[in-house]
Amino acid sequence: MKLTYYGTGAGEGWPGIFCNCELCKEAKRLKGKNIRSRSQALINDDLLIDLTPDTNMHSLVYGLDLEGVDHLLVTHSHTDHFHPADIELLREPFAHNRNLFHIYGNESVRKRIWTEVPKVEEVVDCFDFHKAEPFQKLSIKDYIVIPLLALHDREEECLIYEIIQGDKAMLYAHDTGAFPSKTMDYLVANKVHLDLVSLDCTTQSEEDGKNHMGLVDAVKQRKLLIDLGLADEKTTWIVNHFSHNGGWLHDRMVEEADKVGFLVSYDGMVIEV
Ligand SMILES: [Zn+2]
Ligand SMILES: [Zn+2]
Ligand SMILES: [Zn+2]
């Protein structure tokens, strides 16, 4: 199973659109892996995670090909993960020869579709919305997808996703703090070996664990997963979703993550398990 990171920044991207802090200035100067657009990832070539406002840029600049993508998992309704205005572009005359587009998400995502997609009544035949219920398996093509509860915005049911294809399993966990006990209980009761775990690292150098994770929180979460027998030294561990307020540009992030055995995502990173 292949995972491509298209957007690895937090809500405002890095550099933040309107930010004049030193770390944003430095990212603009250094460019390369210091430039982080907003959250999006693709499983193999056909299962998209999150519909960021940077989706079009990911197609134009990073080579994201949506031709064969008919399924979208949305983690939660925050603006860096879900940009409903682009859903209008599924219909004629903006798009030709498209299959039905399946969107999986929580109630807040559903509400944003019905209130924010321009002329939504003209787009309804182009997509199907499926409410993603925590711990209810979804069968999507040859994937089994399990929405799990995140610890994030308390006003909505934020989700992280376990994705299984054949004998491979990965866990995509952004935005979240320490996993809620219900999620840990589910993972233990339905034990699979996680081949890849992508953990939140929004606050980088700073500890959080309540809405997001810093590197120390990711290390703690990894230990828990390993102690419970869900993952091991063969698992690929990645940190992703970084904010300029966390303090570490890409090279420093790699240096710190290397000390504790994590890989660091960057826009365009491809990893296969
Ligand atoms: Zn986010
Ligand atoms: Zn900044
Ligand atoms: Zn969020």
Side-chain angles (χ1 to χ4, degrees):
M1 196 157 32
K2 185 175 76 176
L3 170 66
T4 308
Y5 290 94
Y6 283 99
T8 62
E12 58 280 66
W14 192 344
I17 302 180
F18 297 110
C19 187
N20 293 318
C21 82
E22 285 311 314
L23 288 170
C24 284
K25 286 183 190 174
E26 195 63 357
K28 281 186 236 182
R29 192 178 68 77
L30 294 168
K31 299 191 174 68
K33 292 174 183 169
N34 296 295
I35 302 295
R36 298 188 183 278
S37 60
R38 288 163 291 181
S39 264
Q40 191 158 54
L42 184 68
I43 307 294
N44 296 324
D45 300 312
D46 54 5
L47 182 59
L48 188 65
I49 306 179
D50 286 336
L51 190 69
T52 161
D54 294 330
T55 303
N56 196 35
M57 189 279 276
H58 292 163
S59 298
L60 298 174
V61 181
Y62 293 173
L64 167 65
D65 186 355
L66 293 176
E67 183 181 341
V69 177
D70 300 323
H71 298 272
L72 165 69
L73 305 175
V74 184
T75 55
H76 61 306
S77 77
H78 287 176
T79 55
D80 54 323
H81 296 258
F82 190 56
H83 184 62
D86 279 349
I87 290 172
E88 186 192 16
L89 306 180
L90 286 166
R91 72 168 172 91
E92 297 277 356
F94 308 118
H96 308 295
N97 311 320
R98 270 227 71 101
N99 296 327
L100 189 66
F101 193 71
H102 298 271
I103 305 169
Y104 307 82
N106 66 20
E107 184 59 22
S108 302
V109 169
R110 191 190 68 76
K111 273 192 198 131
R112 288 197 68 204
I113 291 174
W114 289 102
T115 54
E116 294 179 43
V117 174
K119 297 187 183 162
V120 66
E121 63 289 349
E122 293 184 25
V123 200
V124 286
D125 292 341
C126 302
F127 72 90
D128 239 350
F129 178 80
H130 309 262
K131 173 97 188 290
E133 300 284 358
F135 316 114
Q136 302 283 310
K137 281 183 187 172
L138 299 164
S139 224
I140 301 172
K141 300 183 84 169
D142 61 342
Y143 302 102
I144 293 167
V145 175
I146 304 120
L148 302 168
L149 282 176
L151 185 66
H152 193 50
D153 187 342
R154 309 307 192 265
E155 302 293 308
E156 65 177 281
E157 203 166 61
C158 298
L159 301 169
I160 56 179
Y161 287 100
E162 184 181 17
I163 299 154
I164 302 169
Q165 186 188 41
D167 61 352
K168 296 290 178 187
M170 58 171 79
L171 183 61
Y172 185 85
H174 315 279
D175 305 355
T176 186
F179 297 175
S181 54
K182 279 184 184 168
T183 292
M184 293 307 287
D185 292 349
Y186 178 93
L187 287 169
V188 170
N190 298 270
K191 203 177 266 188
V192 292
H193 175 263
L194 294 167
D195 298 285
L196 183 153
V197 180
S198 184
L199 288 176
D200 196 86
C201 198
T202 308
T203 60
Q204 298 185 315
S205 60
E206 283 169 30
E207 194 171 347
D208 182 21
K210 296 180 190 73
N211 295 296
H212 282 293
M213 293 188 202
L215 188 58
V216 286
D217 305 299
V219 168
K220 273 188 217 159
Q221 189 66 61
R222 177 180 59 187
K223 185 174 184 317
L224 259 181
L225 292 169
I226 291 175
D227 288 350
L228 291 167
L230 297 159
D232 54 29
E233 72 287 345
K234 282 185 267 149
T235 301
T236 301
W237 298 94
I238 308 171
V239 280
N240 172 49
H241 194 279
F242 304 107
S243 160
H244 55 144
N245 295 317
W248 293 336
L249 287 158
H250 183 75
D251 284 353
R252 178 75 192 277
M253 188 66 237
V254 170
E255 207 179 291
E256 298 294 336
D258 202 41
K259 291 178 198 164
V260 289
F262 274 90
L263 298 174
V264 176
S265 71
Y266 54 86
D267 286 18
M269 178 181 181
V270 182
I271 191 125
E272 200 148 359
V273 289

